[in-house]
């Protein structure tokens, strides 16, 4: 199989973890007989520095003519004081909108040997395995431009959703739940927000089309609490943009580190974008200590969701699990014993497992 992949390294640890995902992809290509053609593009702070904008038009064009996009992370203190149109995060929001990446899938699965890396009790998290389906192109982050009024004394952010935007993500979540344990938790704030009331109505209507999926509604504040007190109660969670953003970072605690969580952002019939759930971690950039696993697992999600290469994706996931179960980990994971490795050495262990299979 021949595939074109746009590589957006971004900022902070983005370039160094991306290099590791590329090494893994080359190994998969050699092992399974595929050719992955990689093209580089600019996004985020790196794009601001080189092209004067966080998302050059050229990057959007390259993305649209690729089969998939792999993204490291964007942002950092260097650009924190920039005006909002020159913030790295604008690049990220912009590419999600330009490619209409409405569905963000974030699997959260703990590894046995990392159970004690979480600050939560072993008996609470052991065996937790869930999928967060987050709406990605609507809601508060994409409302009318935020504004300050009345001499800066009043601020307005707008939460905007269309029925279609809600319906397509809710359908995606039902489809995802059907492939898992057929339990869907819809998270909203229907006791306060009109948007959440409409969300709940759509979930109820759509549930009739998926009779084998059990649905429950949970308010976002209760969900935040239950996610860390009884995570095993959840399987597939669906929610709107901002709630999903917050809950998925919270869920990373179950795995021991943000550095373990991959994500896929999917369009209806277009290019998918794959990136770790974490940010650019400027505090550890350039030290070869970042955890490459979230980035590598994002590449695995790309193989599965964009290229239909399920065996290849599984080979990566198994290799990661095996390397971790062999006691190898990076510095972010606070585990007793085992061997703490650099970014590149951790990847070596994962590659070793792929070539062994
Ligand atoms: N998708 C994205 O590109 C994205 C997402 C979130 C934040 N950001 C941006 O990233 C920058 C830093 O934000 P932040 O510090 O709030 O979040 P962050 O996710 O970058 O870092 C939070 C903490 O987790 C650690 N961490 C994150 N990924 C890690 C990894 N792979 N290995 C080891 N440790 C890891 C960091 O060292 C830090 O201590 C900001 O500019 C923010 O806007 C970007």
């Amino acid at each position: 199989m021949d595939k074109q992949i746009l590589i957006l390294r971004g900022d902070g640890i983005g370039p160094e973890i991306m290099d590791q995902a590329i090494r893994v992809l080359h190994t998969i290509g050699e092992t399974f007989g595929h050719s992955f053609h990689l093209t580089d593009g600019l996004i985020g702070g790196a794009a601001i520095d080189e092209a004067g904008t966080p998302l050059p038009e050229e990057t959007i064009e390259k993305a649209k003519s690729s089969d998939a996009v792999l993204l490291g992370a964007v942002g950092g203190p260097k650009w924190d004081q920039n005006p909002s149109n020159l913030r790295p995060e604008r690049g990220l929001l912009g590419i999600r909108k330009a490619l209409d990446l409405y569905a963000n899938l974030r699997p959260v699965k703990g590894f046995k040997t990392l159970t004690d890396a979480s600050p939560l009790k072993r008996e609470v998290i052991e065996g937790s395995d869930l999928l967060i389906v987050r709406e990605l192109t609507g809601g508060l982050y994409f409302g009318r431009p935020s504004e300050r009024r009345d001499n800066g004394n009043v601020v307005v952010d707008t939460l905007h959703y269309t029925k279609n935007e809600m319906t397509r993500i809710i359908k995606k979540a039902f489809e995802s739940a059907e492939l898992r344990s057929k339990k869907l938790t819809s998270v909203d704030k229907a006791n306060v927000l009109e948007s959440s009331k409409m969300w709940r109505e759509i979930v109820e209507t759509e549930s009739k089309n998926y009779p084998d999926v059990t649905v429950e509604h949970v308010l976002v504040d209760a969900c935040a609490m239950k996610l860390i007190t009884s995570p095993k109660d959840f399987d597939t969670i669906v929610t709107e943009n901002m709630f999903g953003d917050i809950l998925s970072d919270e869920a990373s605690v179950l795995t021991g580190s943000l550095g373990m969580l991959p994500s896929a952002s999917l369009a209806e019939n277009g290019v998918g974008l794959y990136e770790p759930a974490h940010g650019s971690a400027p505090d550890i950039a350039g030290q070869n200590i970042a955890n490459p696993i979230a980035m590598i697992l994002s590449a695995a999600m790309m193989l599965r969701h964009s290229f239909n290469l399920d065996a290849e994706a599984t080979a990566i996931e198994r290799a990661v699990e095996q390397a971790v179960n062999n006691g190898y980990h990076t510095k972010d994971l606070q585990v007793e014993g085992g061997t703490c490795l650099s970014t590149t050495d951790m990847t070596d262990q994962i590659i070793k497992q792929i070539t062994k299979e």
Side-chain angles (χ1 to χ4, degrees):
M1 183 179 271
D2 261 30
K3 290 289 176 190
Q4 298 285 343
I5 304 168
L6 176 63
I7 300 292
L8 302 176
R9 288 183 162 77
D11 311 314
I13 60 169
E16 53 197 290
I17 54 171
M18 181 64 80
D19 286 345
Q20 309 315 309
I22 291 173
R23 290 178 61 209
V24 169
L25 279 177
H26 284 319
T27 308
I28 289 289
E30 282 161 20
T31 312
F32 290 85
H34 303 301
S35 297
F36 300 121
H37 306 284
L38 311 180
T39 311
D40 281 303
L42 287 170
I43 195 165
I48 295 170
D49 289 353
E50 263 197 55
T53 166
L55 183 63
E57 201 51 47
E58 194 188 349
T59 299
I60 299 176
E61 291 311 315
K62 282 181 178 176
K64 286 184 175 166
S65 59
S66 301
D67 295 307
V69 181
L70 261 189
L71 171 74
V74 300
K78 182 176 177 194
W79 306 280
D80 274 354
Q81 303 311 319
N82 282 10
S84 67
N85 61 330
L86 284 179
R87 293 290 301 270
E89 294 76 7
R90 283 271 146 203
L92 196 57
L93 297 181
I95 198 162
R96 287 174 181 166
K97 201 72 180 172
L99 300 179
D100 201 16
L101 301 169
Y102 75 100
N104 186 229
L105 309 187
R106 296 188 172 196
V108 182
K109 190 177 172 188
F111 291 89
K112 239 184 185 159
T113 46
L114 296 182
T115 311
D116 293 325
S118 170
L120 302 176
K121 286 187 187 132
R122 171 177 274 272
E123 59 270 26
V124 171
I125 57 170
E126 208 163 39
S128 51
D129 178 358
L130 52 98
L131 173 72
I132 298 181
V133 181
R134 166 189 169 195
E135 202 292 324
L136 205 58
T137 50
L140 268 175
Y141 300 172
F142 290 95
R144 261 179 267 139
S146 306
E147 53 172 313
R148 299 228 181 157
R149 292 183 189 153
D150 299 346
N151 298 324
N153 290 317
V154 175
V155 64
V156 183
D157 287 306
T158 314
L159 197 161
H160 184 282
Y161 266 117
T162 65
K163 200 169 179 182
N164 280 348
E165 283 172 331
M166 289 186 181
T167 305
R168 65 181 180 174
I169 189 72
I170 288 165
K171 279 186 170 167
K172 185 83 195 169
F174 272 106
E175 288 163 12
S176 304
E178 273 190 324
L179 298 174
R180 294 173 53 97
S181 75
K182 299 184 174 29
K183 180 179 177 192
L184 180 64
T185 305
S186 170
V187 178
D188 60 35
K189 189 71 184 164
N191 54 343
V192 178
L193 297 175
E194 197 53 39
S195 55
S196 285
K197 286 180 195 152
M198 183 159 127
W199 175 278
R200 207 175 264 218
E201 286 161 17
I202 298 171
V203 172
E204 283 301 310
T205 306
E206 282 305 320
S207 70
K208 297 187 180 80
N209 299 324
Y210 303 89
D212 49 341
V213 177
T214 311
V215 183
E216 62 169 356
H217 300 280
V218 178
L219 295 174
V220 63
D221 36 357
C223 182
M225 186 265 287
K226 286 183 181 167
L227 204 49
I228 50 168
T229 52
S230 46
K232 281 176 272 190
D233 287 353
F234 297 103
D235 185 73
T236 305
I237 294 175
V238 61
T239 190
E240 62 91 60
N241 200 346
M242 188 176 72
F243 296 161
D245 190 8
I246 297 167
L247 292 177
S248 54
D249 263 33
E250 186 192 5
S252 76
V253 180
L254 305 172
T255 65
S257 168
L258 256 178
M260 302 294 291
L261 287 192
S263 83
S265 302
L266 308 174
E268 253 162 319
N269 289 309
V271 182
L273 181 144
Y274 302 84
E275 58 172 324
H278 59 71
S280 61
D283 52 331
I284 57 165
Q287 299 175 42
N288 196 24
I289 57 169
N291 188 341
I293 290 179
M295 186 77 244
I296 290 170
L297 290 177
S298 301
M301 289 188 87
M302 173 184 75
L303 298 179
R304 176 172 293 119
H305 292 280
S306 281
F307 306 161
N308 248 330
L309 296 176
D310 201 56
E312 290 80 345
T314 306
I316 296 178
E317 288 158 358
R318 279 217 197 106
V320 167
E321 192 160 0
Q322 195 55 53
V324 169
N325 287 344
N326 285 348
Y328 298 112
H329 60 89
T330 43
K331 201 175 164 192
D332 49 307
L333 291 156
Q334 308 290 324
V335 272
E336 296 271 315
T339 313
C340 182
L341 298 178
S342 66
T343 309
T344 41
D345 289 348
M346 186 71 212
T347 310
D348 287 348
Q349 290 301 329
I350 293 167
I351 288 174
K352 204 166 135 189
Q353 294 301 327
I354 295 174
T355 49
K356 232 182 179 182
E357 287 201 358

